Each structure stands twice: as structure tokens, then as C-alpha cells.
Amino acid sequence: MLKAGTVAAILAFCSVSAAAPASWGSDSWGSTGSGSYTTPPAWETATGGSSHETATASSYYTSLSYAHNSPSHSTEAASASATGSAAGSASTTVAASTVVSAPSTPTGLSKVQQILLSDTRADAVNNVLTSNSDFIFDFNKARKGGKSSEIVQANRKAFPALTGTGIGMAVGFLGPCGFNTPHVHNRATEFLIVTKGKIVSEMVIENGVNNAKGTPRDITNTVEELQATPYFMGALHTQYNPTCKDVTFVAPLSNEDFGANTIAQAYLALKDETIAGALGNVIDGADIDKFRSLLSSNVTIGVEQCLKTCGISKRK
């Protein structure tokens, strides 16, 4: 007959055995061989499994892929993977993935504005410069009809494809005795190349660049066909055609928004007393309006000797 203490011990052992997992010590729960256990794969957690369990290393890539493909569940998956696991088990945390949509193309803006707002050059080409013709600028078509002398400018406003390139272009068409009046480029250096005929070029660089007499140096050259000359940024310069034939020149500039400021027109835009004072009061204030009315346009005909040689009458 069993003693009361023995019976109590047997009952206690049976109670512990019933509470243990049926596969105690087997591989179905991922035994590590050291008495600790890893958790079920991450997909179980993401679809409603125990929230306290952490994904194993083997399920890391599954979990990462799931987070990217299902943004609405990414926070839940990240929360589940960040919680504690059984003592001694290895844990891996998977960061939540944020899906960012590509920005929409701005509307109601010029092409230049849209290009400047694009994240990358590829975006600008794909979304703004969508036609192959956006990459062609026709200097002949850009000319204004009826003018024998004209400077056609390809800046970023006229040719948006130049935006962000740091380069622009001007092509000069000078008829017989054509004159491109003195001007400066505010933001660019120019490199002029004569492609047809010849021009007379003048440049005054800046204060302190003087000739032997101590007066400002006027760098004057006759530039023949396929010869070139530079004009420094901000330097005063001009060109005229001394012949009775048409002249063409091409002028690359180091800015897509190079700017131009014609000096005579700019100077006579000042107040009368300022102009008179700058000229040492040689010109009476009452005469200044006469000079304003005599100013020609940017490109004009006005070289005395050439006009006589070619038999061209002066403008009244």
C-alpha cells in the first residue's frame, strides 16, 4: 500500500507532464539546442499572430518585403518585431517602410519655372521637355521680318532647354554698315566668331586699363571670317559691319540668362542734371531730350564712311 507522501508526489509529476508541450524537445518550435526557443515566422505576426514574438533571422527578408508591399501594415509589423522574445533567442528588428509618391508636374508655370522646380534633370526632360523639338532653336525663324540688322538671342526664356546649362547664344545678322551699339552683358563672357564677312570690334574693359596716354584703352580689331574675339563679363563692347555686304557672327555666352545693357540708352535714362554733371556741363539740360530722340535702336545703321561708300542715306 502506497504511503500518502508517495501518492502526492506521483500526482504532482502527472500535473507537470500534462502542462508541458506535446513535442517537448522536438524541432517543430525551432529548438536551438540550448533550452531556448525562437518564435513563428514574421508573417504570422503581421497577420494576427502573437504580438510579443520577434521575427527570426530566416524570416527577415519575408518581413522586409511584406513591409514594402503593404504600407498599411508596416507600423503593425514594426511594432511586433520591436517587442521582446524568449530569453536567449536572437531578435531582428525591421524598420517600417514609408512609400513616397512622385511629385506631380507643376501646372500654370512657364517651362523654365517647371524645369527649375524639377527634382532632377531626368524629371525635367521626362515631364517638361517632352517633345524632341524642345531641343532645337532656329535662329532664322526667330528673326523679326524686315530688319536687315538684328541680334537674335537664345537665352533660357527663348529656349527653355538651356535652363541650368550655364550657356547661351546670340547670332548677329548685320546688313551693310550695320552697327551693334555699345553694350555690356551683365552676367556672361562672350566669345564672338565671325562666320560670314568681317566686323570691326571694340572693347573697353574697366577702369585702370589704360593706354600709354593714361586714357581708357579701346581694344579695336578687324575680325575676319572664322576669326574670334572675347568680350569679358561687364566690359563695354560693340561691333559694326564696315562693308556693303551682309555679315553674320555667332556669339556663345557663359550664362543661359546673360543679359544686355545698351550703354547710350542706359546713360540717357538718368536724370537730366546727372547726365549734364557727368559730361562736365558741356551739354545744356534743355538739349538732353534731343539726344534721347536721336538714339537708334540696339542694332542700327550709323557708320559715316560706310554709309557714303555704300550710298546709303542717313536716317532722319
Side-chain angles (χ1 to χ4, degrees):
M1 191 174 203
L2 296 175
K3 295 182 179 181
T6 302
V7 172
I10 293 173
L11 292 174
F13 177 78
C14 291
S15 176
V16 171
S17 298
S23 55
W24 189 287
S26 71
D27 291 335
S28 62
W29 275 56
S31 172
T32 61
S34 60
S36 61
Y37 297 87
T38 58
T39 59
W43 62 266
E44 292 184 16
T45 301
T47 55
S50 301
S51 61
H52 70 279
E53 295 174 338
T54 304
T56 64
S58 64
S59 64
Y60 172 80
Y61 293 104
T62 302
S63 174
L64 184 63
S65 176
Y66 181 85
H68 279 288
N69 293 333
S70 304
S72 61
H73 296 294
S74 59
T75 303
E76 179 185 351
S79 175
S81 65
T83 55
S85 61
S89 64
S91 64
T92 304
T93 301
V94 179
S97 172
T98 302
V99 178
V100 180
S101 301
S104 59
T105 302
T107 58
L109 302 175
S110 70
K111 283 190 175 183
V112 172
Q113 292 168 330
Q114 292 181 53
I115 292 170
L116 291 173
L117 289 173
S118 297
D119 292 330
T120 66
R121 177 61 60 83
D123 289 335
V125 174
N126 290 334
N127 300 327
V128 184
L129 303 173
T130 56
S131 172
N132 289 350
S133 62
D134 288 328
F135 295 88
I136 293 292
F137 186 84
D138 192 327
F139 284 94
N140 285 314
K141 288 184 178 180
R143 296 187 67 179
K144 297 177 181 178
K147 291 189 175 182
S148 61
S149 295
E150 185 178 3
I151 305 297
V152 179
Q153 299 181 1
N155 53 27
R156 74 184 188 191
K157 182 176 182 179
F159 190 30
L162 292 179
T163 305
T165 63
I167 193 170
M169 180 80 76
V171 172
F173 302 93
L174 297 184
C177 308
F179 183 34
N180 191 12
T181 57
H183 61 282
V184 301
H185 295 297
N186 309 67
R187 293 171 291 278
T189 292
E190 176 181 351
F191 188 49
L192 182 147
I193 306 165
V194 176
T195 58
K196 179 182 178 182
K198 66 180 178 180
I199 63 167
V200 175
S201 164
E202 294 184 72
M203 176 173 64
V204 177
I205 298 176
E206 60 180 286
N207 293 348
V209 179
N210 300 325
N211 55 28
K213 297 179 180 180
T215 58
R217 180 182 174 189
D218 181 6
I219 300 173
T220 304
N221 287 295
T222 298
V223 186
E224 304 281 351
E225 190 169 310
L226 295 184
Q227 291 184 338
T229 189
Y231 302 115
F232 302 149
M233 183 186 299
L236 176 64
H237 60 283
T238 186
Q239 308 93 21
Y240 71 87
N241 173 10
T243 74
C244 303
K245 298 180 180 180
D246 290 339
V247 167
T248 305
F249 63 77
V250 176
L253 295 113
S254 62
N255 194 308
E256 75 240 29
D257 180 25
F258 41 84
N261 194 5
T262 49
I263 298 305
Q265 286 89 335
Y267 178 63
L268 291 179
L270 299 171
K271 292 182 179 180
D272 292 356
E273 57 269 27
T274 303
I275 296 171
L279 293 174
N281 294 309
V282 174
I283 299 176
D284 291 333
D287 292 330
I288 292 176
D289 280 338
K290 295 180 182 179
F291 282 90
R292 286 195 178 104
S293 65
L294 292 173
L295 285 174
S296 59
S297 59
N298 181 38
V299 179
T300 188
I301 297 177
V303 182
E304 290 284 344
Q305 186 58 48
C306 183
L307 293 174
K308 293 178 181 178
T309 302
C310 301
I312 300 175
S313 299
K314 276 188 173 183
R315 294 179 180 177
K316 298 295 184 181

